[in-house]
């Protein structure tokens, strides 16, 4: 399950950039390559799940908007394939830092914690013979 869609990407980044990034072998393309976009979004979602799995059940559903944004930043970085700009790298780094803070419990994304129940029993009470 991807946390973001191509529509989410289009809302955040210039469409001409996404067309270029998803069609690296076709400079004449005029539309976003859906398959390339899907792979990037799935990869980004896997990164999110990997980071959050120790803290909560994944995939997180419904996905809070912060995870949609993080997914978009991670997917964009993946689409750049090692030739990203400073701004793209900074957004990627910030997304990873945010995921680590969520996983550490420093940031709450809406009660998605998978904390386990802890059962305790009261201390045993022993009655001595002289108290009977």
């Amino acid at each position: 399950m991807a946390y973001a869609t191509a529509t989410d990407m289009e809302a955040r980044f210039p469409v001409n950039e996404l067309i270029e990034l998803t069609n690296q072998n076709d400079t004449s393309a005029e539309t976003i390559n859906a398959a390339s976009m899907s792979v990037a979004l799935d990869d980004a979602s896997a990164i999110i799940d990997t980071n959050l799995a120790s803290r909560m059940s994944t995939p997180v559903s419904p996905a809070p908007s912060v995870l949609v944004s993080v997914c978009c930043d991670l997917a964009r970085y993946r689409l750049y394939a090692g030739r990203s700009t400073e701004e793209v790298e900074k957004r990627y780094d910030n997304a990873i830092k945010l995921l680590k803070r969520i996983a550490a419990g420093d940031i709450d994304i809406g009660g998605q914690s998978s904390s386990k129940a802890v059962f305790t029993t009261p201390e045993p009470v022993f009655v001595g013979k002289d108290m009977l």
Side-chain angles (χ1 to χ4, degrees):
M1 173 197 114
Y3 288 102
T5 65
T7 302
D8 295 321
M9 293 285 285
E10 291 173 32
R12 287 165 174 78
F13 309 116
V15 174
N16 60 339
E17 174 187 9
L18 297 174
I19 291 170
E20 181 182 327
L21 291 172
T22 60
N23 293 285
Q24 293 180 23
N25 297 327
D26 183 3
T27 57
S28 65
E30 296 180 6
T31 60
I32 293 172
N33 180 313
S36 294
M37 180 67 76
S38 180
V39 167
L41 290 167
D42 287 343
D43 288 350
S45 296
I47 292 169
I48 292 170
D49 286 346
T50 300
N51 276 273
L52 300 183
S54 65
R55 179 86 179 157
M56 58 192 63
S57 297
T58 57
V60 180
S61 182
S65 61
V66 67
L67 292 185
V68 174
S69 178
V70 165
C71 186
C72 289
D73 285 336
L74 297 176
R76 183 180 183 212
Y77 178 82
R78 302 281 294 179
L79 287 169
Y80 266 94
R83 51 188 176 83
S84 61
T85 65
E86 185 177 327
E87 181 250 342
V88 171
E89 286 185 28
K90 185 174 183 175
R91 289 177 73 129
Y92 171 84
D93 291 340
N94 288 337
I96 295 296
K97 287 176 189 174
L98 178 62
L99 289 174
K100 290 185 184 306
R101 290 191 62 205
I102 293 168
D106 296 337
I107 297 174
D108 180 14
I109 59 170
Q112 298 288 336
S113 176
S114 69
S115 59
K116 296 177 179 145
V118 177
F119 296 96
T120 60
T121 57
E123 291 292 321
V125 177
F126 294 100
V127 178
K129 284 194 296 184
D130 56 331
M131 298 183 85
L132 294 175

